[in-house]
């Protein structure tokens, strides 16, 4: 008979090691689908490692992929700290990207040095507004934010498609549903010669540092955590729970919006309706792997990005479906959940 | 305008309504069963995908339509067992676990499909369910043609709602399931196992979700496409709240949603030039958010929903 007993105090060592162990366990479990697909498992792992970190180009690709994941991971981590379940980062990312092209294609006259910051700010503002709505509905009317944010993803994606086939369509785009490119001055600078890595990474790293300071060193951060841990107690202690919710929502959405603006201004240059292969949803995994810690988000985003970039490259070489990456990431999420459980409970064979 | 209203009087409109509602009925009944037992199941979106894929694959491999239905039920139950393990005995976050199940089920389905059929460009087709047209039905005006266009799975979905109602409201097991979602301590005091009841409800509910997915590939269409579920699972989660956790209202909600979706498809073809198609496609999602907002004021959540329960701990 298996007995489960709560630990008197959470096992700090287990909790600290859980994300790393979960990532390793998920990678190990990938051997099952790999061998079911008939691939040489050892060769597949080697190809994945090489594809993710085997050269300067590979590292640049992994960091490029990690850039939006850091921001969507932060979006989820900040919101989840307040137990605000923002699952809408995907939509907020697209709205941020849409605002970025609206501002960045030359519609707004501004000094040249201000253009790129304006594009990013527009993305953050659009994403923030997109999440402030569901947060307000949750705080004011008790509307379940999981469902509203999830459904908004579909509404926003359709809205983006509508804009790309309508007012924002590139007249020179041969009828493809894509926007005009942003003007050169609005683009984020590249960080490495002849590589795709761009200054969006720095935006992400600065955002992670700022979120770390916000959550651990400021009154606002304390209020966010208080609302997450026990809203009733927070309310009794005089915390304006509703306002904190809406504020966290706006902040979370803004981070996701920044991710979208960064993809447009740093990587693609223009907007299509497939600019994000699920960065918003992957952000949830990143945040959980990070234990909702903003600095941990950076490491977790690197891991998830490496899995995707490595699997892509392995997939091209061996013909194994690149959905393996999604599978590894999903298994990592489940493993980290179980790890969190083992930190709080003791399992005994009695 | 009268043209638009005339749509409502056509048999094909109501036939489409029931067709669109069918996967939602399976999904919403499954989600309702889980939530009445106190467990939110956000795995529904992914279980739809896995059920759709497994059902289709089984038929494609030659297991027959019954085999496809069984495969979808089994795959749904399997992912349900995973969600139940994480949330019931381990008491982990139902939100995160459910999302994890959705991610896992979706990627497992896509990976399996790509691995089983590496080189196909157009999705292979199977022979899907045919409409049931019993002799006595054809003579009934209006209802005859509407129901005559439906397959066995839609009939099953329509029968499922009253069965779930009967289970929850007229059986001892249903009473225990409801109690475990409202007041697990009382259930435990009666000597029943809270964990077993919750586990069972989640597995059974998830199997129904798997069947809802299979309807897409074995009845509504005859092949598996990437992205074919397209948010239907999330609609089910919204419908459960909209229905205030009551099977009858949930059935009505699913049919209303189906009617709205069928209407927008037809309005789109009639008014095609007047507005972008995306505006029509958006409407069902916007409507769901509005309905949820209106329903939330009087939402009567199962009191122990989202709350893990451990023996001897209050």
């Amino acid at each position: 008979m298996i007995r489960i007993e709560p630990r008197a105090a959470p096992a700090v060592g287990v909790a600290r090691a859980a994300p790393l162990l979960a990532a390793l366990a998920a990678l190990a479990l990938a051997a099952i689908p790999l061998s079911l697909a008939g691939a040489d498992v050892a060769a597949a792992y080697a190809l994945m490692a090489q594809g993710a970190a085997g050269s300067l180009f590979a590292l640049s690709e992994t960091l490029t992929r990690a850039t939006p994941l850091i921001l969507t991971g932060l979006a989820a981590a900040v919101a989840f700290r307040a137990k605000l379940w923002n699952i809408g980062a995907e939509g907020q990312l697209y709205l941020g990207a849409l605002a970025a092209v609206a501002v960045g294609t030359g519609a707004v006259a501004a000094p040249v040095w201000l253009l790129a910051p304006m594009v990013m700010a527009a993305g953050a503002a659009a994403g923030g507004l997109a999440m402030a709505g569901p947060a307000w509905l949750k705080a004011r009317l008790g509307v379940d934010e999981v469902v509203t944010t999830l459904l908004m993803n579909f509404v926003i994606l359709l809205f983006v498609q509508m804009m790309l086939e309508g007012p924002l369509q590139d007249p020179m785009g041969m009828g493809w549903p894509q926007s005009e490119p942003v003007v050169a001055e609005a683009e984020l600078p590249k960080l490495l010669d002849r590589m795709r890595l761009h200054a969006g990474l720095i935006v992400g790293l600065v955002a992670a540092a700022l979120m770390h300071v916000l959550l651990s060193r400021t009154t606002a951060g304390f209020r966010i955590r208080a609302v997450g841990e026990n809203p009733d107690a927070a309310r009794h202690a005089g915390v304006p729970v509703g306002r904190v919710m809406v504020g966290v929502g706006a902040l979370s959405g803004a981070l996701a919006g920044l991710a979208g603006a960064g993809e447009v201004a740093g990587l693609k240059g223009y907007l299509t309706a497939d600019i994000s292969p699920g960065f918003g949803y992957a952000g949830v995994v990143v945040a959980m792997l990070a234990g909702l810690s903003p600095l941990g988000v950076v490491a977790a985003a690197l891991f998830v990005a490496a899995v995707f970039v490595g699997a892509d490259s392995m997939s091209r070489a061996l013909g194994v479906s690149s959905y393996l990456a999604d599978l590894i990431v999903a298994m990592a999420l489940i493993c980290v959940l179980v790890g969190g459980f083992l930190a709080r409970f003791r399992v005994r064979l009695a | 305008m009268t043209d638009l209203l005339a749509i409502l009087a056509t048999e094909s409109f109501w036939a489409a309504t029931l067709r669109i509602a069918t996967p939602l009925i399976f999904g919403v009944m499954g989600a309702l069963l889980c939530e009445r037992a106190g467990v939110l199941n956000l795995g529904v979106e992914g279980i739809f995908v896995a059920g759709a894929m497994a059902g289709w694959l089984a038929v494609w491999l030659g297991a027959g339509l019954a085999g496809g239905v069984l495969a979808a039920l089994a795959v749904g139950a399997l992912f349900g067992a995973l969600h139940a393990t994480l949330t019931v005995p381990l008491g982990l976050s139902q939100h995160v676990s459910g999302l994890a199940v959705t991610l896992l089920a979706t990627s497992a389905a896509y990976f399996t499909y790509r691995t089983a059929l590496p080189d196909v460009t157009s999705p292979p087709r199977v022979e899907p369910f045919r409409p049931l047209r019993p002799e006595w039905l054809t003579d009934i005006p209006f209802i005859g043609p509407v129901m005559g266009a439906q397959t066995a799975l839609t009939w099953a979905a329509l029968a499922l709602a009253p069965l779930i109602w009967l289970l929850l409201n007229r059986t001892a097991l249903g009473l225990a399931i409801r109690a475990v979602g409202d007041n697990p301590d009382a259930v435990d005091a009666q000597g029943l196992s809270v964990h077993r009841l919750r586990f069972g409800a989640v597995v059974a509910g998830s199997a129904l979700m798997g069947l809802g997915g299979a309807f897409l590939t074995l009845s509504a269409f005859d092949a598996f496409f990437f992205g074919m579920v397209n948010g239907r699972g999330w609609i089910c989660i919204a419908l459960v709240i909209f229905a205030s956790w009551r099977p009858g209202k949930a059935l009505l909600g699913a049919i209303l949603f189906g009617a709205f979706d069928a209407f927008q498809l037809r309005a789109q073809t009639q008014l095609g030039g007047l507005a972008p198609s995306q505006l029509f496609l958006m409407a069902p999602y916007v409507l769901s958010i509005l309905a949820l907002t209106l329903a939330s004021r009087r939402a009567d959540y199962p009191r122990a929903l989202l709350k893990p329960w451990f023996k001897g701990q209050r």
Side-chain angles (χ1 to χ4, degrees):
Chain A
M1 190 45 200
I2 301 169
R3 284 190 49 193
I4 295 171
E5 299 167 356
R7 293 176 194 265
V12 180
V14 180
R16 289 251 168 87
L20 190 63
L21 292 176
L24 291 174
L27 283 174
L29 284 170
I32 302 171
L34 272 172
S35 52
L36 286 177
D40 177 346
V41 175
Y45 280 121
L47 282 165
M48 277 201 270
Q50 181 139 39
S55 62
L56 183 63
F57 172 76
L59 280 173
S60 159
E61 285 299 294
T62 298
L63 288 170
T64 307
R65 189 83 180 216
T67 300
L69 290 173
I70 293 174
L71 288 162
T72 55
L74 289 172
V78 170
F80 289 8
R81 275 290 181 95
K83 292 245 163 69
L84 182 69
W85 299 102
N86 176 12
I87 323 291
E90 188 76 5
Q92 293 141 26
L93 181 152
Y94 270 104
L95 215 53
L98 193 68
V101 286
V103 172
T105 45
V108 183
V112 168
W113 58 270
L114 197 61
L115 213 45
M118 266 177 52
V119 163
M120 296 301 277
L129 279 176
M131 184 55 209
W136 184 82
L137 284 177
K138 156 88 172 179
R140 198 60 204 272
L141 302 173
V143 184
D144 190 282
E145 76 279 23
V146 176
V147 185
T148 51
T149 55
L150 277 167
L151 293 178
M152 280 303 287
N153 288 339
F154 294 89
V155 175
I156 291 173
L157 194 61
L158 285 164
F159 179 70
V160 167
Q161 284 169 3
M162 188 168 101
M163 290 291 123
L164 292 180
E165 288 175 17
L168 288 179
Q169 187 171 28
D170 184 358
M172 313 293 279
M174 324 256 281
W176 290 103
Q178 63 184 44
S179 77
E180 280 182 63
V182 295
V183 296
E185 293 80 9
E187 284 180 16
L188 298 177
K190 299 281 184 228
L191 295 182
L192 293 171
D193 235 11
R194 283 177 288 127
M195 302 275 171
R196 300 204 303 164
L197 186 61
H198 57 86
L201 177 66
I202 299 180
V203 175
L205 293 176
V206 170
L210 286 176
M211 288 308 118
H212 172 71
V213 172
L214 172 83
L215 282 176
S216 56
R217 302 279 153 80
T218 66
T219 319
F222 171 76
R223 286 178 159 184
I224 290 172
R225 284 180 289 140
V227 167
E229 269 151 38
N230 190 337
D232 291 329
R235 194 171 287 116
H236 278 295
V239 176
V241 174
R243 262 194 290 162
V244 170
M245 284 268 190
V246 176
V248 171
L251 180 63
S252 168
L255 288 161
L258 268 181
E263 290 299 284
V264 164
L267 192 60
K268 300 284 167 69
Y270 57 91
L271 178 61
T272 55
D274 59 358
I275 200 169
S276 162
F279 287 136
Y281 300 103
V284 173
V285 184
V286 168
M288 292 309 297
L289 279 174
L292 307 188
S293 129
L295 298 181
V297 159
V298 176
L302 281 172
F303 166 73
V304 172
V307 167
F308 273 99
V309 173
D312 261 355
S313 143
M314 183 276 300
S315 162
R316 279 192 298 273
L318 294 185
V320 174
S321 162
S322 60
Y323 281 110
L324 182 73
D326 303 83
L327 210 47
I328 294 176
V329 167
M331 290 190 297
L333 177 54
I334 289 173
C335 292
V336 83
L337 275 173
V338 174
F341 166 79
L342 293 176
R344 281 182 294 124
F345 293 87
R346 201 186 300 275
V347 180
R348 284 227 175 104
L349 294 170
Chain B
M1 201 57 211
T2 43
D3 286 357
L4 281 183
L5 288 177
I7 291 173
L8 298 180
T10 60
E11 288 149 356
S12 78
F13 165 76
W14 288 102
T17 292
L18 290 182
R19 194 161 57 236
I20 296 168
T22 301
L24 299 176
I25 297 171
F26 283 118
V28 77
M29 291 305 154
L32 188 141
L33 196 59
C34 298
E35 291 189 31
R36 273 319 256 298
V39 181
L40 175 70
N41 191 348
L42 295 182
V44 52
E45 178 83 5
I47 294 174
F48 267 166
V49 180
M53 210 290 296
W56 175 86
L57 188 66
V59 176
W60 188 72
L61 290 173
L65 287 169
V69 165
L70 280 180
L73 284 168
V75 163
L78 191 73
F79 283 109
L82 174 64
H83 183 56
T85 306
L86 293 172
T87 55
V88 177
L90 304 192
L92 293 162
S93 161
Q94 295 177 6
H95 282 108
V96 183
S97 169
L99 289 170
V101 167
T102 280
L103 292 174
L104 186 71
T106 306
S107 47
Y110 287 175
F111 183 83
T112 309
Y113 182 80
R114 271 270 175 269
T115 306
L117 303 119
D119 304 314
V120 297
T121 43
S122 65
R125 294 174 163 192
V126 295
E127 188 61 39
F129 277 97
R130 289 177 181 284
L132 287 184
R133 286 204 188 89
E135 197 73 31
W136 52 267
L137 187 72
T138 41
D139 301 334
I140 309 173
F142 204 78
I143 294 176
V146 169
M147 284 311 292
Q150 311 302 332
T151 66
L153 290 180
T154 299
W155 288 85
L158 293 173
L160 180 65
L163 284 177
I164 295 276
W165 183 86
L166 278 175
L167 168 75
L168 286 174
N169 295 297
R170 289 289 182 272
T171 67
L173 178 64
L175 183 67
I177 291 174
R178 282 186 293 136
V180 98
D182 268 328
N183 189 354
D185 285 326
V187 176
D188 182 58
Q190 293 203 330
L192 293 168
S193 165
V194 172
H195 284 184
R196 251 182 238 172
L197 281 163
R198 283 190 171 174
F199 204 100
V202 173
V203 169
S206 303
L208 291 177
M209 295 170 185
L211 185 54
F215 174 82
L216 294 174
T217 46
L218 298 183
S219 183
F221 305 96
D222 54 6
F224 178 76
F225 309 97
F226 291 85
M228 77 188 305
V229 170
N230 203 13
R232 283 185 175 88
W234 309 131
I235 300 280
C236 292
I237 299 289
L239 282 173
V240 177
I241 305 174
F242 174 73
S244 223
W245 291 269
R246 285 169 213 286
K249 279 190 179 174
L251 174 67
L252 197 69
I255 291 176
L256 265 177
F257 185 93
F260 189 77
D261 205 25
F263 184 75
Q264 69 86 11
L265 284 171
R266 282 158 178 72
Q268 202 177 321
T269 43
Q270 280 201 10
L271 305 174
L274 295 179
S277 62
Q278 288 92 353
L279 224 45
F280 293 95
L281 293 172
M282 228 184 256
Y285 299 109
V286 174
L287 180 84
S288 301
I289 294 174
L290 285 178
L292 188 63
T293 305
L294 294 177
S296 288
R297 295 201 140 211
R298 47 188 174 72
D300 186 16
Y301 285 77
R303 280 191 292 280
L305 185 66
L306 299 177
K307 296 196 178 91
W309 183 90
F310 297 108
K311 197 167 179 71
Q313 226 191 333
R314 297 214 171 171

